């Protein structure tokens, strides 16, 4: 199933998005509703709160007095941490049970106000953030929630900043305009990304890519996207994944590239890569068979040193190549050395950029990028390899990632 984490700051419009996604067919898991459920009378959650904060947290009917509890923890980070330590694990367990009960091809949306603050982003295939400027949110709280300005600002300050929340987002829904504009964005997301993503995930197939190579100027957000994807992969199999490195052209500032994130996953050996395969598929990166070896280089012609496993994105909205290689192998070392050489040597970077640009123009009308990729391959052996090997020797380069 496809697991979506939905979040947004107070008065961002997150509840509207959650309701629309449920209308379109998503299974909605509402963290706020679950937070109320796990502290109902007779629950272990309520008993633990009373034991920690006292019976004064109960109303006349024996139910949790939420305003009183809120006053007890507001502005007190230590007491808030104690409360969260009671409630959050119970909510997560209940959410996990609801998710497990959903159909295999379902889109499960977890509405979590504090998703970013609690570091849960890597648990989801996508994090969707509903966003509005701070001044817009403040005005909504004043007009629709009958809050005064100081109270509204305090509530906003108690949450992650807008910048931190946006940095955690795979998808941003802009709610600075009209309600209909927000709903239209949700519908486009559902139809063009979530539904095909869920379909690909259930089938274990990569998202199709069409069109010839299109190069664009380096984008700083590629590094941030790669970091989020790497965290997701690591969380999927922490006992198998030794390291995840951003490699390829999008990892090199100043180099034009196709909008495809390349990640190298280091494992102990190819047996570990095989065990990792179904876990990567479940995380949104199904295996692509038939791509299981890099081209051996002259100094290390042993083909077994260049074996790998290849995975790609099921998400139609973010092309990703995942190269699974044994740590310390020749192929693993080459990918890291090539990246670091291009980052360090501006002449090499320019030379490779010119080569790519010429080939991109040559294959611009192709239905895909396979011919472009195959035409680049001789350059890696004939031109890049001797130059980067000499650079590594002169600089004393060593792999920056794990080697065992």
């Amino acid at each position: 199933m496809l697991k979506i984490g939905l979040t947004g700051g107070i008065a961002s419009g997150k509840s509207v998005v959650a309701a629309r996604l449920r209308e379109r067919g998503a299974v909605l898991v509402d963290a706020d509703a679950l937070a109320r459920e796990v502290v109902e009378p007779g629950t272990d959650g309520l008993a633990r709160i009373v034991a920690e904060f006292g019976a004064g947290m109960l109303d006349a009917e024996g139910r949790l007095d939420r305003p009183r509890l809120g006053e007890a923890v507001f502005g007190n980070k230590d007491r808030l941490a104690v409360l969260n330590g009671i409630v959050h694990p119970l909510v997560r367990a209940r959410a996990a049970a609801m998710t497990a009960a959903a159909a295999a091809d379902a889109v499960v949306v977890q509405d979590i106000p504090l998703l970013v603050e609690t570091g849960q982003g890597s648990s989801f295939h996508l994090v969707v953030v509903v966003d509005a400027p701070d001044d817009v949110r403040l005005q909504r709280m004043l007009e629709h929630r009958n809050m005064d300005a100081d109270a509204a600002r305090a509530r906003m300050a108690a949450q992650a900043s807008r910048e931190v929340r946006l940095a955690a987002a795979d998808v941003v829904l802009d709610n600075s305009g009209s309600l209909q504009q927000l709903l239209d964005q949700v519908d486009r997301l559902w139809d063009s990304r979530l539904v095909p993503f869920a379909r690909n995930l259930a089938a274990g197939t990569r998202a199709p890519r069409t069109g010839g190579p299109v190069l664009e100027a380096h984008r700083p957000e590629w590094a941030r996207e790669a970091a989020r994807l790497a965290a997701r992969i690591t969380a999927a199999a922490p006992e198998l994944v030794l390291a995840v490195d951003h490699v390829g052209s999008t990892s090199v500032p100043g180099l034009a590239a196709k909008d495809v994130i390349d990640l190298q996953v280091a494992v102990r050996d190819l047996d570990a890569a095989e065990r990792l395969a179904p876990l990567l598929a479940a995380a949104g990166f199904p295996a692509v068979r038939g791509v299981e070896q890099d081209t051996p280089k002259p100094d290390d012609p042993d083909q077994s040193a260049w074996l790998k496993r290849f995975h790609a994105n099921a998400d139609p909205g973010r092309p990703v190549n995942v190269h699974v290689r044994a740590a310390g192998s020749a192929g693993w070392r080459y990918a890291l050395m090539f990246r670091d050489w291009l980052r360090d040597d501006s002449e090499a970077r320019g030379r490779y950029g010119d080569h790519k640009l010429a080939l991109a123009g040559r294959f611009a009308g192709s239905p895909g990028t396979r011919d472009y990729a195959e035409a680049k391959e001789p350059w890696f052996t004939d031109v890049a390899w001797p130059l980067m090997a000499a650079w590594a020797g002169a600089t004393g380069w060593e792999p920056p990632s794990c080697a065992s």
Side-chain angles (χ1 to χ4, degrees):
M1 69 188 66
L2 180 64
K3 294 179 287 187
I4 305 299
L6 173 66
T7 194
I10 185 170
S12 64
K14 174 176 59 63
S15 297
V16 172
V17 172
R20 185 63 158 198
L21 288 170
R22 182 169 53 191
E23 289 176 6
R24 294 304 309 269
V27 175
L28 181 63
V29 180
D30 186 335
D32 276 346
L34 295 183
R36 292 189 291 271
E37 178 184 313
V38 300
V39 294
E40 286 292 308
T43 62
D44 177 59
L46 184 59
R48 290 170 60 188
I49 288 175
V50 170
E52 180 64 41
F53 292 90
M57 295 299 109
L58 300 178
D59 63 17
E61 298 179 351
R63 305 182 72 86
L64 182 64
D65 188 328
R66 292 180 179 279
R68 188 175 301 171
L69 179 61
E71 291 174 1
V73 301
F74 188 76
N76 188 326
K77 292 183 178 180
D78 292 338
R79 298 303 281 163
L80 179 60
V82 171
L83 177 61
N84 289 342
I86 294 171
V87 176
H88 289 175
L90 296 172
V91 170
R92 291 182 189 180
R94 183 73 182 100
M98 294 177 66
T99 300
D105 60 350
V107 177
V108 178
V109 175
Q110 290 197 38
D111 179 348
I112 307 176
L114 299 181
L115 183 150
V116 174
E117 292 84 343
T118 54
Q120 298 182 63
S122 60
S123 300
F124 299 95
H125 293 102
L126 290 175
V127 170
V128 176
V129 169
V130 187
D131 178 62
D134 289 350
D135 61 329
V136 172
R137 295 165 54 215
L138 177 62
Q139 191 62 33
R140 288 171 182 167
M141 285 188 277
L142 300 180
E143 293 179 359
H144 305 301
R145 302 195 182 197
N146 296 319
M147 299 176 69
D148 63 50
D150 289 341
R153 290 191 182 95
R155 291 289 297 275
M156 292 171 65
Q159 297 182 331
S161 69
R162 185 185 183 199
E163 291 73 19
V164 169
R165 194 178 296 111
L166 290 174
D170 298 292
V171 177
V172 177
L173 298 176
D174 176 17
N175 190 24
S176 59
S178 69
L179 172 62
Q180 190 58 52
Q181 288 173 327
L182 178 61
L183 295 178
D184 289 345
Q185 290 177 72
V186 178
D187 288 344
R188 286 194 297 270
L189 174 65
W190 179 264
D191 291 331
S192 66
R193 190 164 184 180
L194 301 189
V195 169
F197 193 171
R199 186 184 306 123
N200 293 337
L201 197 62
T205 58
R206 66 183 293 181
R209 300 180 195 173
T210 58
V214 176
L215 303 183
E216 55 184 271
H218 181 85
R219 289 196 266 146
E221 59 262 34
W222 281 334
R224 295 191 290 270
E225 288 185 85
R228 290 198 301 271
L229 293 163
R232 206 160 277 150
I233 288 172
T234 301
E239 72 288 353
L240 292 174
V241 174
L242 301 179
V244 183
D245 291 291
H246 186 195
V247 296
S249 293
T250 57
S251 71
V252 181
L255 180 65
K258 302 193 310 300
D259 184 22
V260 179
I261 302 292
D262 281 272
L263 299 173
Q264 176 167 264
V265 177
V267 294
R268 294 197 181 280
D269 50 39
L270 290 183
D271 286 340
E274 291 297 335
R275 296 196 302 274
L276 178 61
L279 301 175
L280 279 179
F285 309 98
V288 179
R289 298 303 178 186
V291 184
E292 299 183 344
Q293 182 177 319
D294 297 307
T295 303
K297 303 303 180 282
D299 289 7
D300 195 346
D302 181 4
Q303 294 191 5
S304 66
W306 299 86
L307 297 177
K308 70 175 182 180
R309 298 294 180 264
F310 182 67
H311 295 247
N313 55 293
D315 176 10
R318 166 33 69 202
V320 182
N321 296 330
V322 180
H323 311 264
V324 184
R325 298 182 174 105
S329 69
W332 170 86
R333 185 179 177 88
Y334 183 99
L336 295 170
M337 186 193 300
F338 184 70
R339 178 198 67 187
D340 292 352
W341 171 56
L342 293 179
R343 285 177 173 178
D344 184 64
D345 189 327
S346 60
E347 183 178 349
R349 189 166 59 248
R351 192 171 184 176
Y352 182 46
D354 290 343
H355 179 63
K356 288 174 39 150
L357 186 62
L359 290 178
R362 176 180 164 190
F363 294 104
S366 300
T369 59
R370 175 175 292 184
D371 291 342
Y372 165 78
E374 290 179 351
K376 283 196 305 178
E377 195 62 34
W379 194 90
F380 296 133
T381 301
D382 300 337
V383 179
W385 176 244
L387 294 174
M388 60 193 271
W391 167 85
T395 61
W397 177 88
E398 290 294 337
S401 183
C402 65
S404 62

